Amino acid sequence: MTHYDLAIIGSGSGNTLISPAWDDRKVVLVEGGTFGGTCLNVGCIPTKMYVYPAQLASAPAEASGLGVDLTLDGVRWRDIRDRIFTRIDAISSGGRDYRADELENVTLVEEYVRLTGEKSFETSSGDVITADQLVIAAGSRAVLPEIPGISLPQVHTSDTVMRLDELPRRLLIVGGGYVSAEFAHVFGAFGTDVTIAVRSGGMLRHLDETVSDAFTRQAAHQWDLRLDTDVTQIVANDDGSVTARLNGPAGPTEIEVDVVLMAVGRTPNTDTIGAAEAGLDLHDDGRLAVDAYQRVLRHGEPVEGLWALGDVSSAHQLKHVANHEAKVVAHNLLHPGALRASDHRFVPAAVFSHPQAASVGMTEEEALAHAETSGTRIVTAVQHYGSTAYGWAMEDTQGFAKLIAEQSTGRILGAHILGHEASMIIQPLIQAMSFGLDAHTMARGQYWIHPALTEVVENALLSLRTG
């Protein structure tokens, strides 16, 4: 048995907890998978490194309507892949070597572990480790539904599909969330025939209904979108392809594809570390229950010295949320008498598909429920990109910004943008909500660059009938 001052399970955002403040104390960092966690290796960073060349590949189709004739001569899949992962793998390897070899006070354990108590665990090789303080940052993993044929080598998750040796000619994506939307854009732009099977009646159903409906309509124009459709079986063919059997509104059908991407969600890794067996509280979806200070709960009470952050405990499953929580935990580990709470009031998110979608705060449905319980009235405004000068330049007929606010105070409750660079255009609204800037003051109290596309935000604010 080995005892440490601090133990951390997970080398993603958990890795950032090891600051110079711990130089004179013993720290153990545990990582059974690839060093660096989900975002670096199989998540937001490599996917966005694919999205940018996909945007370039999409340019000819968009340029023709503006009088510019472009051609796409080809997509060098292996060159794109190798450019991305040469960089990603070097960062992962460098981080691993730094923690393993260069810090005398840090021990790197490259094994999976299971909890044996509130602040103790056993490695897969049988070593028992205890600590004064333990941080669980074990992340999440892609869900694989129980479908016959799910273990075939042609079936991938987001963990593996980016490292394919060849660009598939035909791809079936199962799921309608952000992973599905982003990979449909990437592979579709590169020339793959993309089919999407969605169990529900629309894509991006977690977003505001106006955004979800509009994105679903645009998705149907770009890809073969099958709504209200289940995949019932995947069968290998002699030529290396697979036949996917679908069941939708028109009854059972079959399609032949080269690759299947399962994008039906992610699940927290609490089961792999034995959180339930250790008596820790879990949400219905398997996440660790934590309080505002990121302390893990047991029987509804915080366990002293036990913390969690990121996907293993967060409903958001976003890297910027994990980073925020890591900063909170980093402070609380060292200042037990002056704890800080995480701020999850205005968590933004973006989908880097075509078009982009970005959101922060309440959906209209949530705002209506808020209005009913609080007795206040809400107002909404939808402003289209095409109503601005930059929108004219783009000949944009699809993009829009939707804002939701309290009528009496002008307090912005939610912002939802669908269109070109939505992930950047929404940032002023995130700032306004975070610092309590009402719609009237935000619209009239500053300059808005003309004719930048951010005028769509200004005009949406001016359209809100508040005060």
Side-chain angles (χ1 to χ4, degrees), residues 379-383 401-406 410-415 417 425-426 428-430 432-433 437-448 454-467:
V379 290
T380 64
V382 176
Q383 195 75 34
K402 178 179 180 178
L403 304 185
I404 307 164
E406 287 183 344
R411 183 166 70 99
I412 303 168
L413 301 176
I417 301 180
I425 294 171
I426 201 170
L429 293 160
I430 301 168
M433 294 171 67
L437 197 64
D438 67 90
H440 182 277
T441 304
M442 185 185 180
R444 294 167 175 82
Q446 62 182 317
Y447 282 104
W448 294 84
T454 45
E455 284 187 318
V456 73
V457 173
E458 177 192 17
N459 293 342
L461 290 164
L462 292 169
S463 297
L464 285 169
R465 298 183 179 274
T466 63

mmCIF file of all heavy atoms in Angstrom, residues 379-383 401-406 410-415 417 425-426 428-430 432-433 437-448 454-467:
data_model
loop_
_atom_site.group_PDB
_atom_site.id
_atom_site.type_symbol
_atom_site.label_atom_id
_atom_site.label_comp_id
_atom_site.label_asym_id
_atom_site.label_seq_id
_atom_site.Cartn_x
_atom_site.Cartn_y
_atom_site.Cartn_z
ATOM 1 N N VAL A 379 -40.194 37.606 -23.499
ATOM 2 C CA VAL A 379 -40.319 38.038 -24.886
ATOM 3 C C VAL A 379 -39.223 37.362 -25.690
ATOM 4 O O VAL A 379 -38.158 37.014 -25.149
ATOM 5 C CB VAL A 379 -40.219 39.567 -25.024
ATOM 6 C CG1 VAL A 379 -41.452 40.245 -24.439
ATOM 7 C CG2 VAL A 379 -38.956 40.094 -24.357
ATOM 8 N N THR A 380 -39.455 37.155 -26.963
ATOM 9 C CA THR A 380 -38.470 36.542 -27.847
ATOM 10 C C THR A 380 -38.297 37.398 -29.098
ATOM 11 O O THR A 380 -39.182 38.181 -29.456
ATOM 12 C CB THR A 380 -38.881 35.119 -28.268
ATOM 13 O OG1 THR A 380 -40.084 35.190 -29.044
ATOM 14 C CG2 THR A 380 -39.106 34.226 -27.063
ATOM 15 N N ALA A 381 -37.169 37.246 -29.730
ATOM 16 C CA ALA A 381 -36.905 37.912 -31.007
ATOM 17 C C ALA A 381 -36.052 36.993 -31.863
ATOM 18 O O ALA A 381 -35.121 36.357 -31.357
ATOM 19 C CB ALA A 381 -36.194 39.242 -30.793
ATOM 20 N N VAL A 382 -36.382 36.913 -33.133
ATOM 21 C CA VAL A 382 -35.596 36.142 -34.086
ATOM 22 C C VAL A 382 -35.128 37.087 -35.185
ATOM 23 O O VAL A 382 -35.946 37.743 -35.838
ATOM 24 C CB VAL A 382 -36.413 34.980 -34.700
ATOM 25 C CG1 VAL A 382 -35.587 34.263 -35.766
ATOM 26 C CG2 VAL A 382 -36.841 33.999 -33.614
ATOM 27 N N GLN A 383 -33.825 37.177 -35.352
ATOM 28 C CA GLN A 383 -33.246 38.070 -36.363
ATOM 29 C C GLN A 383 -32.437 37.236 -37.345
ATOM 30 O O GLN A 383 -31.558 36.468 -36.953
ATOM 31 C CB GLN A 383 -32.329 39.100 -35.693
ATOM 32 C CG GLN A 383 -31.973 40.277 -36.579
ATOM 33 C CD GLN A 383 -33.130 41.245 -36.734
ATOM 34 O OE1 GLN A 383 -33.903 41.432 -35.809
ATOM 35 N NE2 GLN A 383 -33.233 41.864 -37.902
ATOM 36 N N ALA A 401 -30.425 34.525 -35.356
ATOM 37 C CA ALA A 401 -30.181 34.594 -33.918
ATOM 38 C C ALA A 401 -31.524 34.706 -33.217
ATOM 39 O O ALA A 401 -32.371 35.514 -33.613
ATOM 40 C CB ALA A 401 -29.309 35.794 -33.578
ATOM 41 N N LYS A 402 -31.713 33.919 -32.175
ATOM 42 C CA LYS A 402 -32.943 33.939 -31.388
ATOM 43 C C LYS A 402 -32.587 34.294 -29.948
ATOM 44 O O LYS A 402 -31.742 33.646 -29.335
ATOM 45 C CB LYS A 402 -33.639 32.581 -31.439
ATOM 46 C CG LYS A 402 -34.910 32.517 -30.583
ATOM 47 C CD LYS A 402 -35.586 31.152 -30.690
ATOM 48 C CE LYS A 402 -36.841 31.091 -29.829
ATOM 49 N NZ LYS A 402 -37.525 29.782 -29.959
ATOM 50 N N LEU A 403 -33.243 35.326 -29.432
ATOM 51 C CA LEU A 403 -33.003 35.762 -28.065
ATOM 52 C C LEU A 403 -34.279 35.655 -27.246
ATOM 53 O O LEU A 403 -35.382 35.855 -27.761
ATOM 54 C CB LEU A 403 -32.506 37.207 -28.034
ATOM 55 C CG LEU A 403 -31.257 37.535 -28.861
ATOM 56 C CD1 LEU A 403 -30.844 38.975 -28.618
ATOM 57 C CD2 LEU A 403 -30.123 36.585 -28.531
ATOM 58 N N ILE A 404 -34.103 35.354 -25.965
ATOM 59 C CA ILE A 404 -35.219 35.232 -25.015
ATOM 60 C C ILE A 404 -34.879 36.084 -23.801
ATOM 61 O O ILE A 404 -33.764 36.004 -23.271
ATOM 62 C CB ILE A 404 -35.424 33.762 -24.602
ATOM 63 C CG1 ILE A 404 -35.560 32.858 -25.831
ATOM 64 C CG2 ILE A 404 -36.647 33.625 -23.702
ATOM 65 C CD1 ILE A 404 -35.375 31.390 -25.541
ATOM 66 N N ALA A 405 -35.826 36.909 -23.366
ATOM 67 C CA ALA A 405 -35.555 37.797 -22.237
ATOM 68 C C ALA A 405 -36.797 37.978 -21.387
ATOM 69 O O ALA A 405 -37.925 37.735 -21.833
ATOM 70 C CB ALA A 405 -35.060 39.156 -22.742
ATOM 71 N N GLU A 406 -36.586 38.415 -20.143
ATOM 72 C CA GLU A 406 -37.696 38.837 -19.308
ATOM 73 C C GLU A 406 -38.213 40.183 -19.816
ATOM 74 O O GLU A 406 -37.418 41.097 -20.065
ATOM 75 C CB GLU A 406 -37.254 38.981 -17.853
ATOM 76 C CG GLU A 406 -37.013 37.669 -17.139
ATOM 77 C CD GLU A 406 -36.640 37.860 -15.682
ATOM 78 O OE1 GLU A 406 -36.278 38.992 -15.302
ATOM 79 O OE2 GLU A 406 -36.718 36.873 -14.923
ATOM 80 N N GLY A 410 -35.637 43.090 -18.999
ATOM 81 C CA GLY A 410 -34.717 42.968 -20.118
ATOM 82 C C GLY A 410 -33.599 41.977 -19.877
ATOM 83 O O GLY A 410 -32.673 41.852 -20.696
ATOM 84 N N ARG A 411 -33.663 41.245 -18.772
ATOM 85 C CA ARG A 411 -32.626 40.245 -18.477
ATOM 86 C C ARG A 411 -32.660 39.147 -19.526
ATOM 87 O O ARG A 411 -33.700 38.549 -19.777
ATOM 88 C CB ARG A 411 -32.846 39.652 -17.085
ATOM 89 C CG ARG A 411 -31.773 38.658 -16.671
ATOM 90 C CD ARG A 411 -31.849 38.360 -15.176
ATOM 91 N NE ARG A 411 -33.031 37.592 -14.842
ATOM 92 C CZ ARG A 411 -33.032 36.269 -14.650
ATOM 93 N NH1 ARG A 411 -31.902 35.578 -14.788
ATOM 94 N NH2 ARG A 411 -34.131 35.639 -14.314
ATOM 95 N N ILE A 412 -31.522 38.909 -20.127
ATOM 96 C CA ILE A 412 -31.432 37.903 -21.191
ATOM 97 C C ILE A 412 -31.409 36.526 -20.552
ATOM 98 O O ILE A 412 -30.545 36.222 -19.730
ATOM 99 C CB ILE A 412 -30.185 38.118 -22.061
ATOM 100 C CG1 ILE A 412 -30.188 39.527 -22.656
ATOM 101 C CG2 ILE A 412 -30.112 37.072 -23.177
ATOM 102 C CD1 ILE A 412 -28.876 39.920 -23.294
ATOM 103 N N LEU A 413 -32.368 35.696 -20.947
ATOM 104 C CA LEU A 413 -32.484 34.352 -20.387
ATOM 105 C C LEU A 413 -31.841 33.294 -21.269
ATOM 106 O O LEU A 413 -31.385 32.263 -20.769
ATOM 107 C CB LEU A 413 -33.957 34.000 -20.166
ATOM 108 C CG LEU A 413 -34.750 34.911 -19.229
ATOM 109 C CD1 LEU A 413 -36.211 34.477 -19.194
ATOM 110 C CD2 LEU A 413 -34.155 34.891 -17.837
ATOM 111 N N GLY A 414 -31.823 33.518 -22.576
ATOM 112 C CA GLY A 414 -31.271 32.523 -23.479
ATOM 113 C C GLY A 414 -30.919 33.133 -24.814
ATOM 114 O O GLY A 414 -31.535 34.119 -25.247
ATOM 115 N N ALA A 415 -29.916 32.568 -25.463
ATOM 116 C CA ALA A 415 -29.503 33.002 -26.797
ATOM 117 C C ALA A 415 -29.179 31.770 -27.617
ATOM 118 O O ALA A 415 -28.503 30.853 -27.142
ATOM 119 C CB ALA A 415 -28.294 33.928 -26.711
ATOM 120 N N ILE A 417 -28.140 30.645 -31.722
ATOM 121 C CA ILE A 417 -27.734 31.123 -33.041
ATOM 122 C C ILE A 417 -27.461 29.927 -33.935
ATOM 123 O O ILE A 417 -26.799 28.969 -33.529
ATOM 124 C CB ILE A 417 -26.494 32.027 -32.945
ATOM 125 C CG1 ILE A 417 -26.795 33.227 -32.040
ATOM 126 C CG2 ILE A 417 -26.070 32.508 -34.320
ATOM 127 C CD1 ILE A 417 -25.625 34.186 -31.872
ATOM 128 N N ILE A 425 -20.091 34.378 -32.800
ATOM 129 C CA ILE A 425 -21.055 35.475 -32.741
ATOM 130 C C ILE A 425 -21.804 35.486 -31.416
ATOM 131 O O ILE A 425 -22.225 36.546 -30.930
ATOM 132 C CB ILE A 425 -22.025 35.367 -33.934
ATOM 133 C CG1 ILE A 425 -21.260 35.607 -35.242
ATOM 134 C CG2 ILE A 425 -23.182 36.352 -33.821
ATOM 135 C CD1 ILE A 425 -22.069 35.306 -36.477
ATOM 136 N N ILE A 426 -21.957 34.334 -30.781
ATOM 137 C CA ILE A 426 -22.719 34.266 -29.530
ATOM 138 C C ILE A 426 -21.940 34.805 -28.334
ATOM 139 O O ILE A 426 -22.536 35.109 -27.289
ATOM 140 C CB ILE A 426 -23.173 32.816 -29.258
ATOM 141 C CG1 ILE A 426 -24.366 32.800 -28.292
ATOM 142 C CG2 ILE A 426 -22.013 31.967 -28.734
ATOM 143 C CD1 ILE A 426 -25.022 31.460 -28.152
ATOM 144 N N PRO A 428 -20.617 37.710 -27.300
ATOM 145 C CA PRO A 428 -21.078 38.906 -26.583
ATOM 146 C C PRO A 428 -22.314 38.646 -25.725
ATOM 147 O O PRO A 428 -22.487 39.275 -24.671
ATOM 148 C CB PRO A 428 -21.384 39.900 -27.709
ATOM 149 C CG PRO A 428 -20.597 39.424 -28.875
ATOM 150 C CD PRO A 428 -20.549 37.941 -28.750
ATOM 151 N N LEU A 429 -23.163 37.730 -26.148
ATOM 152 C CA LEU A 429 -24.358 37.409 -25.373
ATOM 153 C C LEU A 429 -24.004 36.614 -24.115
ATOM 154 O O LEU A 429 -24.617 36.804 -23.057
ATOM 155 C CB LEU A 429 -25.344 36.648 -26.248
ATOM 156 C CG LEU A 429 -25.929 37.481 -27.392
ATOM 157 C CD1 LEU A 429 -26.499 36.587 -28.481
ATOM 158 C CD2 LEU A 429 -26.981 38.447 -26.872
ATOM 159 N N ILE A 430 -23.030 35.738 -24.223
ATOM 160 C CA ILE A 430 -22.552 35.012 -23.040
ATOM 161 C C ILE A 430 -22.008 36.014 -22.023
ATOM 162 O O ILE A 430 -22.290 35.929 -20.818
ATOM 163 C CB ILE A 430 -21.454 34.006 -23.428
ATOM 164 C CG1 ILE A 430 -21.980 32.993 -24.448
ATOM 165 C CG2 ILE A 430 -20.915 33.290 -22.195
ATOM 166 C CD1 ILE A 430 -20.892 32.154 -25.099
ATOM 167 N N ALA A 432 -22.769 39.222 -21.759
ATOM 168 C CA ALA A 432 -23.865 40.027 -21.207
ATOM 169 C C ALA A 432 -24.609 39.281 -20.113
ATOM 170 O O ALA A 432 -24.914 39.839 -19.051
ATOM 171 C CB ALA A 432 -24.828 40.421 -22.329
ATOM 172 N N MET A 433 -24.902 38.004 -20.342
ATOM 173 C CA MET A 433 -25.614 37.220 -19.341
ATOM 174 C C MET A 433 -24.765 37.007 -18.102
ATOM 175 O O MET A 433 -25.265 37.075 -16.973
ATOM 176 C CB MET A 433 -26.045 35.889 -19.954
ATOM 177 C CG MET A 433 -27.081 36.032 -21.074
ATOM 178 S SD MET A 433 -27.400 34.501 -21.967
ATOM 179 C CE MET A 433 -28.190 33.515 -20.706
ATOM 180 N N LEU A 437 -25.788 42.274 -17.926
ATOM 181 C CA LEU A 437 -26.099 43.374 -18.833
ATOM 182 C C LEU A 437 -27.450 43.115 -19.495
ATOM 183 O O LEU A 437 -27.627 42.115 -20.189
ATOM 184 C CB LEU A 437 -25.003 43.490 -19.890
ATOM 185 C CG LEU A 437 -24.914 44.787 -20.696
ATOM 186 C CD1 LEU A 437 -24.588 45.955 -19.778
ATOM 187 C CD2 LEU A 437 -23.865 44.655 -21.782
ATOM 188 N N ASP A 438 -28.427 43.985 -19.283
ATOM 189 C CA ASP A 438 -29.755 43.776 -19.860
ATOM 190 C C ASP A 438 -29.747 44.086 -21.353
ATOM 191 O O ASP A 438 -28.830 44.735 -21.874
ATOM 192 C CB ASP A 438 -30.798 44.640 -19.145
ATOM 193 C CG ASP A 438 -30.570 46.120 -19.388
ATOM 194 O OD1 ASP A 438 -31.115 46.653 -20.366
ATOM 195 O OD2 ASP A 438 -29.815 46.742 -18.602
ATOM 196 N N ALA A 439 -30.787 43.632 -22.045
ATOM 197 C CA ALA A 439 -30.842 43.739 -23.500
ATOM 198 C C ALA A 439 -30.799 45.192 -23.971
ATOM 199 O O ALA A 439 -30.104 45.524 -24.945
ATOM 200 C CB ALA A 439 -32.098 43.044 -24.017
ATOM 201 N N HIS A 440 -31.536 46.071 -23.309
ATOM 202 C CA HIS A 440 -31.581 47.476 -23.717
ATOM 203 C C HIS A 440 -30.203 48.114 -23.607
ATOM 204 O O HIS A 440 -29.726 48.783 -24.531
ATOM 205 C CB HIS A 440 -32.601 48.233 -22.858
ATOM 206 C CG HIS A 440 -32.748 49.677 -23.236
ATOM 207 N ND1 HIS A 440 -31.886 50.656 -22.771
ATOM 208 C CD2 HIS A 440 -33.650 50.319 -24.036
ATOM 209 C CE1 HIS A 440 -32.252 51.820 -23.268
ATOM 210 N NE2 HIS A 440 -33.322 51.646 -24.031
ATOM 211 N N THR A 441 -29.542 47.927 -22.481
ATOM 212 C CA THR A 441 -28.221 48.516 -22.275
ATOM 213 C C THR A 441 -27.201 47.929 -23.234
ATOM 214 O O THR A 441 -26.352 48.645 -23.789
ATOM 215 C CB THR A 441 -27.762 48.295 -20.820
ATOM 216 O OG1 THR A 441 -28.745 48.832 -19.934
ATOM 217 C CG2 THR A 441 -26.421 48.941 -20.561
ATOM 218 N N MET A 442 -27.272 46.643 -23.440
ATOM 219 C CA MET A 442 -26.308 46.000 -24.330
ATOM 220 C C MET A 442 -26.450 46.506 -25.760
ATOM 221 O O MET A 442 -25.456 46.763 -26.458
ATOM 222 C CB MET A 442 -26.485 44.482 -24.292
ATOM 223 C CG MET A 442 -25.435 43.750 -25.116
ATOM 224 S SD MET A 442 -25.725 41.983 -25.183
ATOM 225 C CE MET A 442 -24.342 41.479 -26.203
ATOM 226 N N ALA A 443 -27.682 46.660 -26.224
ATOM 227 C CA ALA A 443 -27.912 47.086 -27.598
ATOM 228 C C ALA A 443 -27.507 48.532 -27.830
ATOM 229 O O ALA A 443 -26.943 48.875 -28.879
ATOM 230 C CB ALA A 443 -29.381 46.882 -27.960
ATOM 231 N N ARG A 444 -27.761 49.400 -26.856
ATOM 232 C CA ARG A 444 -27.604 50.838 -27.070
ATOM 233 C C ARG A 444 -26.388 51.437 -26.376
ATOM 234 O O ARG A 444 -26.036 52.595 -26.638
ATOM 235 C CB ARG A 444 -28.856 51.562 -26.578
ATOM 236 C CG ARG A 444 -30.098 51.219 -27.395
ATOM 237 C CD ARG A 444 -31.362 51.704 -26.702
ATOM 238 N NE ARG A 444 -32.560 51.498 -27.522
ATOM 239 C CZ ARG A 444 -33.221 50.331 -27.598
ATOM 240 N NH1 ARG A 444 -32.779 49.299 -26.903
ATOM 241 N NH2 ARG A 444 -34.283 50.211 -28.360
ATOM 242 N N GLY A 445 -25.744 50.676 -25.511
ATOM 243 C CA GLY A 445 -24.670 51.246 -24.718
ATOM 244 C C GLY A 445 -23.279 51.033 -25.269
ATOM 245 O O GLY A 445 -22.299 51.310 -24.575
ATOM 246 N N GLN A 446 -23.160 50.567 -26.501
ATOM 247 C CA GLN A 446 -21.843 50.332 -27.082
ATOM 248 C C GLN A 446 -21.944 50.448 -28.597
ATOM 249 O O GLN A 446 -23.039 50.402 -29.177
ATOM 250 C CB GLN A 446 -21.333 48.940 -26.695
ATOM 251 C CG GLN A 446 -22.202 47.802 -27.212
ATOM 252 C CD GLN A 446 -21.719 46.431 -26.774
ATOM 253 O OE1 GLN A 446 -20.532 46.151 -26.799
ATOM 254 N NE2 GLN A 446 -22.642 45.583 -26.364
ATOM 255 N N TYR A 447 -20.798 50.616 -29.251
ATOM 256 C CA TYR A 447 -20.757 50.580 -30.704
ATOM 257 C C TYR A 447 -20.818 49.137 -31.194
ATOM 258 O O TYR A 447 -20.266 48.223 -30.567
ATOM 259 C CB TYR A 447 -19.465 51.203 -31.227
ATOM 260 C CG TYR A 447 -19.445 52.712 -31.218
ATOM 261 C CD1 TYR A 447 -18.732 53.402 -30.244
ATOM 262 C CD2 TYR A 447 -20.118 53.437 -32.191
ATOM 263 C CE1 TYR A 447 -18.697 54.791 -30.227
ATOM 264 C CE2 TYR A 447 -20.097 54.828 -32.201
ATOM 265 C CZ TYR A 447 -19.384 55.495 -31.213
ATOM 266 O OH TYR A 447 -19.361 56.865 -31.199
ATOM 267 N N TRP A 448 -21.471 48.939 -32.321
ATOM 268 C CA TRP A 448 -21.469 47.658 -33.031
ATOM 269 C C TRP A 448 -20.841 47.914 -34.390
ATOM 270 O O TRP A 448 -21.316 48.762 -35.153
ATOM 271 C CB TRP A 448 -22.891 47.113 -33.196
ATOM 272 C CG TRP A 448 -23.537 46.743 -31.895
ATOM 273 C CD1 TRP A 448 -24.197 47.587 -31.044
ATOM 274 C CD2 TRP A 448 -23.586 45.456 -31.299
ATOM 275 N NE1 TRP A 448 -24.657 46.913 -29.940
ATOM 276 C CE2 TRP A 448 -24.294 45.586 -30.074
ATOM 277 C CE3 TRP A 448 -23.109 44.199 -31.660
ATOM 278 C CZ2 TRP A 448 -24.536 44.515 -29.217
ATOM 279 C CZ3 TRP A 448 -23.336 43.123 -30.817
ATOM 280 C CH2 TRP A 448 -24.038 43.281 -29.601
ATOM 281 N N THR A 454 -21.947 40.575 -36.578
ATOM 282 C CA THR A 454 -22.464 40.713 -35.216
ATOM 283 C C THR A 454 -23.636 41.689 -35.137
ATOM 284 O O THR A 454 -24.326 41.741 -34.112
ATOM 285 C CB THR A 454 -21.355 41.184 -34.263
ATOM 286 O OG1 THR A 454 -20.632 42.259 -34.879
ATOM 287 C CG2 THR A 454 -20.415 40.050 -33.926
ATOM 288 N N GLU A 455 -23.903 42.423 -36.192
ATOM 289 C CA GLU A 455 -25.094 43.271 -36.207
ATOM 290 C C GLU A 455 -26.376 42.457 -36.075
ATOM 291 O O GLU A 455 -27.407 42.996 -35.671
ATOM 292 C CB GLU A 455 -25.145 44.121 -37.475
ATOM 293 C CG GLU A 455 -24.190 45.293 -37.462
ATOM 294 C CD GLU A 455 -24.372 46.214 -38.657
ATOM 295 O OE1 GLU A 455 -24.557 45.706 -39.783
ATOM 296 O OE2 GLU A 455 -24.322 47.440 -38.465
ATOM 297 N N VAL A 456 -26.306 41.176 -36.397
ATOM 298 C CA VAL A 456 -27.499 40.343 -36.220
ATOM 299 C C VAL A 456 -27.838 40.246 -34.737
ATOM 300 O O VAL A 456 -29.022 40.186 -34.367
ATOM 301 C CB VAL A 456 -27.302 38.947 -36.849
ATOM 302 C CG1 VAL A 456 -26.353 38.076 -36.041
ATOM 303 C CG2 VAL A 456 -28.638 38.237 -37.011
ATOM 304 N N VAL A 457 -26.833 40.261 -33.871
ATOM 305 C CA VAL A 457 -27.070 40.267 -32.428
ATOM 306 C C VAL A 457 -27.634 41.619 -31.993
ATOM 307 O O VAL A 457 -28.604 41.695 -31.222
ATOM 308 C CB VAL A 457 -25.776 39.942 -31.659
ATOM 309 C CG1 VAL A 457 -25.976 40.120 -30.155
ATOM 310 C CG2 VAL A 457 -25.311 38.529 -31.965
ATOM 311 N N GLU A 458 -27.039 42.692 -32.472
ATOM 312 C CA GLU A 458 -27.538 44.030 -32.143
ATOM 313 C C GLU A 458 -29.010 44.176 -32.534
ATOM 314 O O GLU A 458 -29.839 44.643 -31.733
ATOM 315 C CB GLU A 458 -26.711 45.090 -32.864
ATOM 316 C CG GLU A 458 -27.225 46.508 -32.634
ATOM 317 C CD GLU A 458 -26.596 47.517 -33.569
ATOM 318 O OE1 GLU A 458 -26.015 47.114 -34.603
ATOM 319 O OE2 GLU A 458 -26.704 48.729 -33.285
ATOM 320 N N ASN A 459 -29.347 43.786 -33.741
ATOM 321 C CA ASN A 459 -30.718 43.944 -34.212
ATOM 322 C C ASN A 459 -31.692 43.049 -33.463
ATOM 323 O O ASN A 459 -32.843 43.432 -33.230
ATOM 324 C CB ASN A 459 -30.791 43.670 -35.715
ATOM 325 C CG ASN A 459 -30.052 44.720 -36.534
ATOM 326 O OD1 ASN A 459 -29.784 45.814 -36.026
ATOM 327 N ND2 ASN A 459 -29.706 44.394 -37.765
ATOM 328 N N ALA A 460 -31.226 41.848 -33.069
ATOM 329 C CA ALA A 460 -32.095 40.982 -32.270
ATOM 330 C C ALA A 460 -32.369 41.611 -30.915
ATOM 331 O O ALA A 460 -33.494 41.571 -30.408
ATOM 332 C CB ALA A 460 -31.446 39.609 -32.109
ATOM 333 N N LEU A 461 -31.336 42.211 -30.306
ATOM 334 C CA LEU A 461 -31.525 42.883 -29.030
ATOM 335 C C LEU A 461 -32.506 44.044 -29.152
ATOM 336 O O LEU A 461 -33.374 44.258 -28.298
ATOM 337 C CB LEU A 461 -30.182 43.385 -28.503
ATOM 338 C CG LEU A 461 -29.191 42.332 -28.022
ATOM 339 C CD1 LEU A 461 -27.791 42.909 -27.909
ATOM 340 C CD2 LEU A 461 -29.639 41.729 -26.693
ATOM 341 N N LEU A 462 -32.382 44.811 -30.230
ATOM 342 C CA LEU A 462 -33.272 45.952 -30.452
ATOM 343 C C LEU A 462 -34.703 45.504 -30.704
ATOM 344 O O LEU A 462 -35.650 46.252 -30.432
ATOM 345 C CB LEU A 462 -32.772 46.793 -31.623
ATOM 346 C CG LEU A 462 -31.461 47.542 -31.397
ATOM 347 C CD1 LEU A 462 -30.941 48.117 -32.708
ATOM 348 C CD2 LEU A 462 -31.639 48.642 -30.369
ATOM 349 N N SER A 463 -34.866 44.268 -31.197
ATOM 350 C CA SER A 463 -36.203 43.762 -31.502
ATOM 351 C C SER A 463 -36.933 43.238 -30.278
ATOM 352 O O SER A 463 -38.148 43.014 -30.332
ATOM 353 C CB SER A 463 -36.116 42.658 -32.564
ATOM 354 O OG SER A 463 -35.609 43.160 -33.778
ATOM 355 N N LEU A 464 -36.193 42.997 -29.192
ATOM 356 C CA LEU A 464 -36.840 42.517 -27.976
ATOM 357 C C LEU A 464 -37.679 43.641 -27.362
ATOM 358 O O LEU A 464 -37.178 44.726 -27.090
ATOM 359 C CB LEU A 464 -35.783 42.060 -26.959
ATOM 360 C CG LEU A 464 -35.096 40.719 -27.220
ATOM 361 C CD1 LEU A 464 -33.909 40.564 -26.288
ATOM 362 C CD2 LEU A 464 -36.072 39.562 -27.046
ATOM 363 N N ARG A 465 -38.929 43.390 -27.147
ATOM 364 C CA ARG A 465 -39.822 44.409 -26.564
ATOM 365 C C ARG A 465 -39.777 44.302 -25.048
ATOM 366 O O ARG A 465 -40.607 43.635 -24.423
ATOM 367 C CB ARG A 465 -41.244 44.213 -27.084
ATOM 368 C CG ARG A 465 -41.350 44.389 -28.605
ATOM 369 C CD ARG A 465 -42.789 44.254 -29.081
ATOM 370 N NE ARG A 465 -42.876 44.446 -30.517
ATOM 371 C CZ ARG A 465 -43.000 45.643 -31.117
ATOM 372 N NH1 ARG A 465 -43.045 46.734 -30.376
ATOM 373 N NH2 ARG A 465 -43.079 45.730 -32.423
ATOM 374 N N THR A 466 -38.765 44.933 -24.470
ATOM 375 C CA THR A 466 -38.565 44.881 -23.024
ATOM 376 C C THR A 466 -38.761 46.243 -22.398
ATOM 377 O O THR A 466 -38.799 47.277 -23.087
ATOM 378 C CB THR A 466 -37.163 44.370 -22.693
ATOM 379 O OG1 THR A 466 -36.193 45.297 -23.215
ATOM 380 C CG2 THR A 466 -36.919 43.000 -23.289
ATOM 381 N N GLY A 467 -38.833 46.270 -21.070
ATOM 382 C CA GLY A 467 -38.921 47.526 -20.331
ATOM 383 C C GLY A 467 -40.344 48.013 -20.121
ATOM 384 O O GLY A 467 -41.303 47.440 -20.547
#
